Amino acid sequence: MKSACTITHVEIPAPDLTLASAFYAAVFDWKIEVVIENSYSFFMIGDTQTGGGLDASLKPAAQGVGTQLVINVEDIDQYLHKIVNAGGAVTQEKTQIGDGGHGYFASFQDPNGNHLQIHCDN
């Protein structure tokens, strides 16, 4: 049975498309395909059918405003280091979710000003 109401595509604001493409490729190893030069790129996550777009016409929301995109990673500390090295900024260090059992998260800002989170089980 096909899943109904599944999220199939996410768009990340990318006023500087070149910067966004380089950042997400370097940090998360996403495959980037430029569709419209300086305007829109697709990204694919590994060998999955999951991905979305980097859209130069969209503007980032302020911290604490709007939907939060959470990216699952194996090691938060390693990815926070990669984020900073690629030009992002850590906005919340690794934090346990609740009393345990739900893993950990950390928040960051990408070079275009988007606020996102990463998550891991341990």
Side-chain angles (χ1 to χ4, degrees):
M1 181 168 114
K2 188 173 180 178
S3 297
C5 303
T6 300
I7 295 173
T8 59
H9 187 87
V10 162
E11 293 192 344
I12 299 173
D16 184 329
L17 189 59
T18 301
L19 188 63
S21 296
F23 177 79
Y24 288 102
V27 175
F28 298 110
D29 295 322
W30 292 353
K31 298 173 190 165
I32 309 294
E33 176 190 350
V34 177
V35 179
I36 303 169
E37 193 69 31
N38 296 319
S39 182
Y40 195 88
S41 293
F42 284 125
F43 66 85
M44 293 300 293
I45 301 170
D47 294 327
T48 70
Q49 293 299 312
T50 304
L54 301 171
D55 190 337
S57 71
L58 300 176
K59 304 299 179 233
Q63 186 171 4
V65 175
T67 303
Q68 285 289 295
L69 180 64
V70 182
I71 302 164
N72 200 54
V73 298
E74 291 182 12
D75 182 332
I76 284 182
D77 295 322
Q78 175 188 356
Y79 276 85
L80 290 178
H81 183 74
K82 290 174 77 170
I83 287 164
V84 170
N85 284 345
V90 176
T91 57
Q92 182 166 342
E93 294 290 340
K94 182 177 179 180
T95 304
Q96 184 173 343
I97 301 170
D99 293 330
H102 298 287
Y104 296 82
F105 79 98
S107 301
F108 69 95
Q109 184 176 23
D110 76 7
N112 274 299
N114 293 296
H115 296 274
L116 299 97
Q117 297 179 15
I118 52 177
H119 170 269
C120 73
D121 292 331
N122 52 21

